[in-house]
Amino acid sequence: MIPSVLPTYSRAPMNFVKGEGIWLIEADGRRFLDLGSGIAVNVLGHANPELTAALTKQAETLWHVSNLYNISQQQELADRLTEATFADTVFFTNSGTEAMELAVKMARKYWYDKGEDRSEIVAFGGAFHGRSSAAIAASGAEKMVKGFGPLLPGFTQVPFGDHDATRAAITGKTAAVIIEPVQGEGGIIPIPDQCLKGLRDLCDETGALLIFDEVQCGVGRTGRLFAHEWSGVTPDIMMVAKGIGGGFPLGAVLATENAASGMTLGTHGSTYGGNPLACAVGNAVMKIVADDAFLAEVNRKAGAFRQRLEGLVAAHPDVFEAVRGQGLMLGLKCKAPNAEVVKAGYSNELIVVPAADNVVRLLPPLNISDEEIAEAVRRLDAAAAAVEAG
Ligand SMILES: *Cc1c(COP(=O)(O)O)cnc(C)c1O
């Protein structure tokens, strides 16, 4: 008999009933150190007092009004985001996938309005942009698209890191190129600055719009407010979600005035996107994260964490191969199967998340303390020893 929850996930046998900062508390009382953050979502830890206060205050005042009316919390968040980034305008969604849908629509409408037949979207191998029809077509990965055809047409994939193939794929038919500045699901793979610069140049030469998917790598995760800032390259359109809501469902598409020019009255909408509750929390997240001193701390702690992880790799050469990533978006490339490392983590009350390419992801809350980093490394060390012991 089919379970009452549609069984599309393989679920670990834990049932968390409470969260406190970096800790997740299981129904039986065990305290797990959480380096997954709900997959880069709980950027300020669980039950963060400032976020809880913002959400509670909003819940006591106004939960929902339609986008047929002005929403002051949404206006404030849009102003914060445009002030802090390349973007001139923002549309709010409830998820990263919805942001993907709008990014694709926006790029296609841009060219339609110019009277040009440019609808193709170039994406990269190993990319993840969500699970909607557009997002799986962009990924092209067999495990995501098989059985769901006919796929949305107009998407091509370029092998990641293949400059010549990229150059060949971006043509006068290309509406936009989409890339994660740091691939998340693909295995914590930062795109070298030179590649992002080269991509920007190719887009400028051909006119194609450049879309950055910062759903996982954005909102302070890499030590800058948005990951692309490290490269000095700016996109035309950017997708944000996960961390921006700190655990409350919230996403956004940010765009330049030019890239957004096709999205006129009535061309897009959302019932819940940009609702007062989500935006109240988004503002509280931005107040804390979009701050130079906070981001400097993220970088300092990331350096300390990474150094300890290098030591861990050296100490367990049969389990780990290398540390990768940027800021607090870290990955351990494994020699042992990553699923075994994840499972050994659970036995040591430690949450880490698998990714492709046999990588284990470490995505702690950005306000992790030095003591928590030390404890995380102790538990990873114990987990590695357990994997070695078989
Ligand atoms: C998680 C993710 C998405 C999809 O976001 P949802 O909120 O799950 O819809 C899209 N792109 C990237 C890079 C992601 O990590």
Side-chain angles (χ1 to χ4, degrees):
M1 205 174 70
I2 192 167
S4 60
V5 174
L6 189 74
T8 64
Y9 276 93
S10 147
R11 293 172 192 270
M14 286 99 73
N15 177 22
F16 298 115
V17 293
K18 189 172 160 61
E20 288 171 3
I22 201 168
W23 299 97
L24 275 176
I25 294 126
E26 221 273 348
D28 65 9
R30 278 179 301 160
R31 291 171 66 86
F32 286 71
L33 197 148
D34 181 15
L35 296 184
S37 305
I39 315 196
V41 167
N42 305 101
V43 274
L44 296 169
H46 299 282
N48 178 282
E50 281 153 281
L51 303 194
T52 302
L55 182 62
T56 306
K57 183 165 165 252
Q58 190 57 49
E60 287 167 350
T61 315
L62 180 69
W63 287 25
H64 175 81
V65 282
S66 164
N67 280 304
L68 293 170
Y69 314 103
N70 293 309
I71 300 175
S72 62
Q73 296 78 11
Q74 184 183 135
Q75 182 63 54
E76 182 186 338
L77 186 53
D79 290 342
R80 283 181 190 280
L81 287 167
T82 53
E83 216 158 277
T85 67
F86 72 95
D88 303 310
T89 189
V90 184
F91 186 94
F92 292 101
T93 68
N94 307 291
S95 69
T97 303
E98 285 173 63
M100 173 65 178
E101 291 296 314
L102 173 55
V104 170
K105 283 177 70 175
M106 186 181 280
R108 288 180 165 172
K109 184 67 162 41
Y110 174 85
W111 291 110
Y112 176 86
D113 282 8
K114 290 199 177 323
E116 291 198 38
D117 176 22
R118 296 181 67 154
S119 59
E120 282 174 20
I121 311 283
V122 174
F124 289 85
F128 182 81
H129 303 297
R131 295 296 199 126
S132 64
S133 294
I136 64 173
S139 146
E142 161 124 353
K143 67 168 187 182
M144 275 192 271
V145 303
K146 198 174 172 198
F148 295 112
L151 294 181
L152 195 64
F155 291 84
T156 54
Q157 292 82 31
V158 171
F160 174 66
D162 185 335
H163 185 79
D164 292 338
T166 306
R167 183 168 272 281
I170 302 172
T171 69
K173 292 275 179 210
T174 306
V177 179
I178 180 166
I179 192 165
E180 298 159 80
V182 184
Q183 278 196 350
E185 304 300 314
I188 309 291
I189 306 175
I191 310 303
D193 291 351
Q194 275 317 109
C195 292
L196 289 183
K197 288 197 178 91
L199 212 50
R200 179 73 267 179
D201 290 344
L202 281 172
C203 287
D204 290 343
E205 281 165 32
T206 56
L209 298 173
L210 183 56
I211 305 172
F212 284 164
D213 180 348
E214 293 229 15
V215 168
Q216 193 161 148
C217 62
V219 194
R221 179 58 50 195
T222 66
R224 300 290 288 261
L225 185 57
F226 291 101
H228 69 266
E229 294 171 25
W230 289 109
S231 69
V233 172
T234 56
D236 302 291
I237 299 171
M238 177 167 72
M239 295 147 56
V240 178
K242 293 197 166 103
I244 188 69
F248 199 92
L250 174 63
V253 173
L254 281 65
T256 63
E257 183 171 9
N258 180 48
S261 58
M263 302 308 294
T264 49
L265 270 185
T267 54
H268 198 63
S270 170
T271 295
Y272 291 122
N275 68 78
L277 287 172
C279 290
V281 182
N283 280 313
V285 169
M286 282 289 286
K287 253 185 237 172
I288 296 170
V289 176
D291 172 75
D292 288 341
F294 181 87
L295 292 170
E297 268 296 280
V298 170
N299 284 302
R300 183 188 66 74
K301 286 183 288 196
F305 199 180
R306 195 175 179 121
Q307 199 172 8
R308 284 166 179 268
L309 292 173
E310 300 283 1
L312 195 73
V313 170
H316 300 282
D318 295 334
V319 180
F320 302 122
E321 200 172 300
V323 186
R324 47 165 81 157
Q326 185 152 35
L328 288 173
M329 186 169 185
L330 291 161
L332 285 166
K333 167 82 176 163
C334 296
K335 262 198 199 131
N338 61 352
E340 276 182 32
V341 176
V342 171
K343 218 169 155 204
Y346 296 157
S347 306
N348 286 277
E349 277 107 64
L350 175 74
I351 306 283
V352 291
V353 184
D357 201 26
N358 204 33
V359 163
V360 163
R361 272 181 282 183
L362 315 177
L363 308 163
L366 303 180
N367 57 1
I368 186 174
S369 70
D370 293 304
E371 301 74 57
E372 287 160 353
I373 288 173
E375 183 58 27
V377 173
R378 274 193 289 277
R379 292 182 187 214
L380 275 167
D381 188 47
V387 171
E388 280 161 355

